[in-house]
Amino acid sequence: ALLHYHGCSMHEIEGFVTSTRKRQSEQSGICLAYLLSLEFLKLAQEQSGKEDPTFYDLKGFFFGDNAIGKDQDCPRDGLKGVALVDALEKHQRGQCTHFLSWTWGYNVSTVRGALQQWLDGMGDDGNADEIFLFMCFFVN
């Protein structure tokens, strides 16, 4: 109401909100703390039916009846279905801080173990709640 009072049309406000959500989605990364959490591990195991799935085994995140975010509107193109990072809670995603080069053929345990080792190597400078990774699996 305040923006409208100051001369912004509803169309302009809606356009600004849409472009902001799109930009935030395109620049988001998955929170390292979430990736290292038992919550993510359990989700991966439930989605795949495997104790230590590869990321290929997790294609159910995106396809089928149980696809995560399948009924949500994508902030990038407005169509149904979102990137996994867009379906996560706000504290589980944020402005990307690091790019991770990797392969979908890795097991979840390999990725989590390597990331935990990397975080541990940072010492006091590493805070998993403030690190957001660009990983194609989560952001595309």
Side-chain angles (χ1 to χ4, degrees):
L2 184 59
L3 291 175
H4 189 63
Y5 174 78
H6 287 287
C8 293
S9 71
M10 287 306 293
H11 179 68
E12 289 172 314
I13 295 168
E14 289 169 1
F16 175 77
V17 169
T18 298
S19 67
T20 299
R21 286 183 178 155
K22 180 179 188 230
R23 185 182 71 254
Q24 287 174 342
S25 174
E26 291 170 341
Q27 296 175 357
S28 283
I30 184 165
C31 184
L32 179 57
Y34 175 69
L35 197 54
L36 296 175
S37 72
L38 289 178
E39 179 183 359
F40 172 71
L41 179 59
K42 286 181 180 183
L43 179 64
Q45 291 169 336
E46 289 169 4
Q47 284 280 0
S48 68
K50 296 182 177 185
E51 184 69 25
D52 188 21
T54 67
F55 282 83
Y56 283 124
D57 296 325
L58 300 179
K59 64 182 178 275
F61 275 28
F62 309 105
F63 306 107
D65 295 336
N66 296 325
I68 296 171
K70 70 177 180 146
D71 295 323
Q72 293 177 292
D73 293 331
C74 178
R76 300 174 197 196
D77 62 16
L79 301 175
K80 291 290 182 196
V82 298
L84 185 57
V85 74
D86 294 319
L88 296 173
E89 306 263 339
K90 260 193 162 177
H91 68 278
Q92 298 167 333
R93 58 188 161 90
Q95 176 78 33
C96 185
T97 60
H98 296 78
F99 174 85
L100 183 64
S101 181
W102 68 299
T103 174
W104 283 48
Y106 290 151
N107 292 75
V108 169
S109 66
T110 300
V111 172
R112 287 168 40 96
L115 289 170
Q116 184 65 61
Q117 190 173 22
W118 174 65
L119 179 65
D120 293 345
M122 287 186 210
D124 292 340
D125 292 332
N127 182 345
D129 291 318
E130 296 176 355
I131 296 172
F132 299 93
L133 302 172
F134 180 96
M135 293 177 68
C136 58
F137 178 84
F138 297 101
V139 300
N140 289 335

